[in-house]
Structures are given as structure tokens and as C-alpha cells.
Amino acid sequence: MDNKKELFPAVDNDGNIVGTITRGEAHGGSMTLHPVVHLHLFNSQGQLYLQQRPEWKDIQPGRWDTATGGHIDLGENVDTALKREVREELGVTDFTPERLGHYIFESKRERELVFVHRTTYDGPVNPNPDELAGGKFWDIDDINANMGKGVFTPNFESEFQRFFGSGNTQ
């Protein structure tokens, strides 16, 4: 289970810390902006690794999502949080991230300042069963064929379209 009392930084639209918020508040409709990191992990064949969210997650349980996504902890910077999350979720430590940009994602329950990265990686991926329900590499055609069908999280779909919608995944 997610710790609803875990503290996250609350940030302004530029990522400056303006306070703190609990996970429960952040995901409970407060709409307080909090920072997260995402990594899109491609292999050299152009397939994209997606994680399956466990059923116990408080946001989008059971759906397929970005390879790695996680909150930036208090006192962490973007790069440190990204490396920690990728190690914790996928067991991957030897990768070179490329920062693609950032944007604000808003749902009915939360607002996130999302720092988006990509990498190409052909080594072993070992999804952590304490964090994920699993994961696999997807062909881009299969991702496009399943868009809008409830297979993926809404934030993955919008982010995929924003950064890779032109078909440029490399």
C-alpha cells in the first residue's frame, strides 16, 4: 500500500518548492502541484517498455503506464529522483537519460509537474514485484492501436502523444 502520510514537496509552475503536502492530500483532490519524474525506456528495436500498475495503487490501478514514474521526494533533485525511481521500479542502473521537457498534468484528483525523460536501453529489466504488477516491451503500432481503449493510463496516453505523437521515438 502507498503511505498516504508520505511528504512530497509542493511546487509552483516553475518547480520552486512552496511547501509540503502528504501523498493522501496530493492524490485526494487538493490539486496542489507536486513534482514527478517519468522515463520512457526504448530498446534499440524501437519498442517501448511499459509497466503495469498494481491493483493496490490509489491512481489508475491495473493499467499500463510509462516505464518509470515516481514522485520527487523532499530534498531530491530531478536527476536523483529519476535514478532512484528507475532503480527501485526496474532494477536498471546503467542508463543515460535525455530530458525531453516538462509539463503540468491535471486530472480530477491531482496536479503534477512532470519531468519527462527517454533512454535507449538493451540490458535486463527486472520489474520490482513490490512496486509493479509487471512490464513488457510494446511495439509502437500496438500502443497506437490500444490508445483510448482503457488499456493505458490517461497521463501515459497524453504524454506519449505530446512527445512521440509524430512517430518520432528515437
Side-chain angles (χ1 to χ4, degrees), residues 1 49 52-57 87-91 125-135:
M1 291 289 296
Y49 189 90
Q52 187 172 28
R53 295 177 61 79
E55 291 296 332
W56 54 262
K57 281 291 197 183
R87 183 184 69 248
E88 287 175 0
E89 293 185 355
L90 303 180
V125 179
N126 300 299
N128 181 344
D130 293 334
E131 296 263 344
L132 313 174

Side-chain angles (χ1 to χ4, degrees), residues 33 103-107 110-114 154-156 158:
L33 190 63
Y103 68 97
I104 294 175
F105 175 78
E106 187 170 322
S107 72
E110 67 175 335
R111 288 180 69 229
E112 295 178 329
L113 180 59
V114 185
N155 48 336
F156 168 76
S158 67

Side-chain angles (χ1 to χ4, degrees), residues 37-125:
V37 291
H38 285 179
L39 178 71
H40 295 274
L41 190 146
F42 290 89
N43 63 23
S44 58
Q45 289 77 44
Q47 297 173 310
L48 180 60
Y49 189 90
L50 299 180
Q51 65 159 273
Q52 187 172 28
R53 295 177 61 79
E55 291 296 332
W56 54 262
K57 281 291 197 183
D58 58 354
I59 301 285
Q60 300 293 325
R63 292 201 180 175
W64 290 90
D65 202 358
T66 309
T68 296
H71 293 91
I72 296 175
D73 289 340
L74 282 174
E76 275 187 320
N77 64 32
V78 172
D79 294 332
T80 302
L82 181 68
K83 289 176 182 172
R84 175 184 52 77
E85 286 290 340
V86 174
R87 183 184 69 248
E88 287 175 0
E89 293 185 355
L90 303 180
V92 172
T93 57
D94 184 25
F95 70 101
T96 303
E98 173 190 348
R99 190 176 293 187
L100 300 178
H102 64 277
Y103 68 97
I104 294 175
F105 175 78
E106 187 170 322
S107 72
K108 292 179 182 177
R109 294 179 62 178
E110 67 175 335
R111 288 180 69 229
E112 295 178 329
L113 180 59
V114 185
F115 293 91
V116 183
H117 303 79
R118 75 166 314 279
T119 195
T120 300
Y121 175 81
D122 287 317
V125 179

